[in-house]
Amino acid sequence: MEQIIEFLGNHPLLVGSLVALVCVLLFTEMRKGGQSVGSQEVTQLINQQEAVVLDVREKADFGKGHIVDAISMPYGKVADRVGELNKFKDKPIIIVDAMGQHSGTVGKQLKDAGFEQVVRLKGGIGTWTADSLPLVKK
């Protein structure tokens, strides 16, 4: 313990930088839209709480395989089409994208539109397929 206190006293710039980086990380994580959950939690939400799956990948990718009963709404059109989801405000909304790159932005848009139960599939559809879970292909 004495070594930690000595380190803190001898290296205020390093400690200050660490604190600043942790604050930035926390701020960034809090701005994301919804909690990030794994495929097991998504399956439970779908089965137990009748969660709605919102797939924000492009139509071509959606057609190659998607989660059962998923709603296709490409990432670039979510802001214009968010009103279509109003009938699901009382249910959890699960956002699925290719690898997790767009789900935070869409989650924030949904939270700003009044959706309270927004979650994101961690790792996107890639995680879902890596866990050998089924996809519907149309």
Side-chain angles (χ1 to χ4, degrees), residues 4-130:
I4 293 173
I5 295 171
E6 181 181 348
F7 179 83
L8 295 174
N10 290 336
H11 304 287
L13 289 176
L14 290 175
V15 174
S17 298
L18 176 63
V19 170
L21 287 173
V22 168
C23 289
V24 168
L25 176 65
L26 290 174
F27 178 74
T28 304
E29 286 299 315
M30 288 173 35
R31 288 189 61 212
K32 289 185 177 176
Q35 178 185 9
S36 185
V37 297
S39 55
Q40 183 177 4
E41 291 89 350
V42 166
T43 305
Q44 289 174 348
L45 285 170
I46 293 169
N47 292 335
Q48 296 172 1
Q49 297 182 28
E50 298 179 9
V52 176
V53 178
L54 178 65
D55 195 319
V56 297
R57 297 176 297 147
E58 294 299 320
K59 287 279 189 189
D61 294 329
F62 183 82
K64 291 178 184 174
H66 59 273
I67 298 173
V68 176
D69 295 331
I71 297 170
S72 176
M73 192 176 293
Y75 168 72
K77 298 180 181 178
V78 171
D80 297 332
R81 296 178 55 192
V82 73
E84 297 174 26
L85 300 172
N86 283 337
K87 59 186 170 190
F88 303 116
K89 277 197 174 183
D90 61 330
K91 296 182 180 184
I93 305 285
I94 302 166
I95 304 167
V96 178
D97 59 5
M99 297 182 301
Q101 72 274 28
H102 296 302
S103 60
T105 305
V106 172
K108 182 159 179 17
Q109 289 174 343
L110 291 178
K111 284 191 169 271
D112 291 345
F115 292 87
E116 296 179 15
Q117 301 178 65
V118 178
V119 296
R120 301 173 291 130
L121 176 58
K122 188 184 321 178
I125 202 76
T127 298
W128 187 266
T129 56

